[in-house]
Amino acid sequence: MFSLASKLYETVIGSSGEQLSTENETKDPQSVQVSLVKETTIETTDFAVPAIPVPKMKITEDTGTRLFLYAACDLLTYFQPCMLDTLDIPPAFPSIDSPQRTKPSQSKLTPLEKANKLRKKVNLEPGHSALDWARLKNSLGGVSEIRRYTLDELKLHKTKNDAWTAINGKIYNITPYLKFHPGGEKELMRAAGKDGTKLFMDIHSWVNYDLMLDKCFVGFLVGIKTTLT
Ligand code: HEM
């Protein structure tokens, strides 16, 4: 343990300038650029991990480098992964500036990331779980006549007591479902009296609305392009 610590110590000192160097002859001071050497105090005992300030080093040549790397590699085996975080040693591949690295702040959101951003579940009243809805839904009779509706006709059904929405060209009476909607009544009402396809798809395109609302199906929206084939 002591020799490991002192090797690193010599490297740090040696590469930061002559006045501190104890082993100038072993390495060329120009070959290693040290960008951070705060302190060179080394505590070593046979049992404790030495508190060594590890410098950020840009290695340009082989001389003096090996010594540092040997010491650092040995040293790393003593560190816990959480301690390694503090060392600020960049992973070798891909390099920090590599275009292969994803840059979340600059990258466009994927559909799933976008959906997660918009998602916000609410606490539903007791007796309004998905299972409760499945039970209630099956007791609904459905409409006697399936019709075609225009957007103007759809717009007439935009209140909590009479809310319809269209998804992919199919119109559903969502009034009985409002209190069961995991995203909340208010959120679902944003689609009332409208073509809710985009709102729906942006948030949870994976939800099987057609099965969930089969008993609420009232007809088809005409005069719009649908994504259904
Ligand atoms: C009309 C048919 C709709 C049905 C059948 C439906 C169904 C559902 C279901 C099953 C969930 C739970 C999803 C999950 O746990 O992963 C959910 C969540 C949600 N829904 Fe809807 N939804 C509909 C329309 C809408 C519309 C039009 C909006 C927006 C205006 C919306 C906004 C949300 C939000 C914000 C959540 C919470 C997401 C979460 O955090 O899990 N939903 N919906």
Side-chain angles (χ1 to χ4, degrees):
M1 179 71 78
F2 180 80
S3 65
L4 152 72
S6 61
K7 258 200 251 172
L8 188 69
Y9 177 75
E10 285 157 12
T11 309
V12 170
I13 297 300
S15 46
S16 62
E18 288 89 81
Q19 74 279 23
L20 296 172
S21 176
T22 54
E23 271 200 358
N24 278 344
E25 67 285 0
T26 61
K27 42 204 164 286
D28 171 10
Q30 302 303 315
S31 68
V32 178
Q33 296 164 16
V34 177
S35 54
L36 174 76
V37 181
K38 276 191 186 150
E39 194 189 316
T40 51
T41 317
I42 294 166
E43 291 162 15
T44 54
T45 70
D46 280 347
F47 306 104
V49 174
I52 300 170
V54 177
K56 284 183 195 163
M57 300 180 92
K58 193 173 176 192
I59 291 151
T60 52
E61 228 182 272
D62 208 16
T63 348
T65 299
R66 257 187 236 127
L67 188 57
F68 173 77
L69 288 180
Y70 289 152
C73 289
D74 275 356
L75 183 71
L76 294 184
T77 61
Y78 289 94
F79 277 85
Q80 296 297 315
C82 61
M83 296 166 80
L84 286 177
D85 289 346
T86 64
L87 296 183
D88 198 16
I89 298 173
F93 181 81
S95 71
I96 289 283
D97 301 326
S98 165
Q100 280 171 290
R101 282 180 179 264
T102 50
K103 297 188 174 89
S105 57
Q106 288 167 16
S107 68
K108 239 179 123 196
L109 294 181
T110 64
L112 188 61
E113 284 167 340
K114 196 175 161 193
N116 282 338
K117 239 181 134 182
L118 294 169
R119 295 181 71 178
K120 197 163 32 91
K121 259 193 193 153
V122 300
N123 290 327
L124 297 170
E125 287 170 31
H128 290 77
S129 68
L131 207 62
D132 292 320
W133 169 250
R135 252 186 245 123
L136 176 80
K137 180 196 82 158
N138 287 331
S139 69
L140 298 174
V143 288
S144 52
E145 186 198 4
I146 299 298
R147 263 194 51 198
R148 291 194 178 122
Y149 296 91
T150 64
L151 206 52
D152 282 344
E153 284 174 298
L154 177 62
K155 275 182 196 161
L156 301 174
H157 305 270
K158 58 175 184 188
T159 63
K160 279 190 181 177
N161 294 328
D162 177 25
W164 291 9
T165 192
I167 301 175
N168 283 329
K170 290 177 85 174
I171 299 178
Y172 302 92
N173 178 357
I174 50 175
T175 321
Y177 182 63
L178 284 172
K179 282 188 180 299
F180 293 83
H181 180 235
E185 205 172 331
K186 202 174 153 206
E187 193 70 1
L188 186 49
M189 275 305 288
R190 289 171 61 205
K194 294 183 198 160
D195 185 343
T197 310
K198 184 164 185 324
L199 285 169
F200 180 92
M201 292 299 168
D202 276 353
I203 293 165
H204 40 41
S205 56
W206 59 87
V207 168
N208 192 343
Y209 62 92
D210 204 23
L211 181 70
M212 291 179 69
L213 301 176
D214 56 354
K215 296 288 167 49
C216 305
F217 176 57
V218 292
F220 294 97
L221 183 61
V222 290
I224 53 136
K225 279 187 183 172
T226 74
T227 55
L228 290 179
T229 48

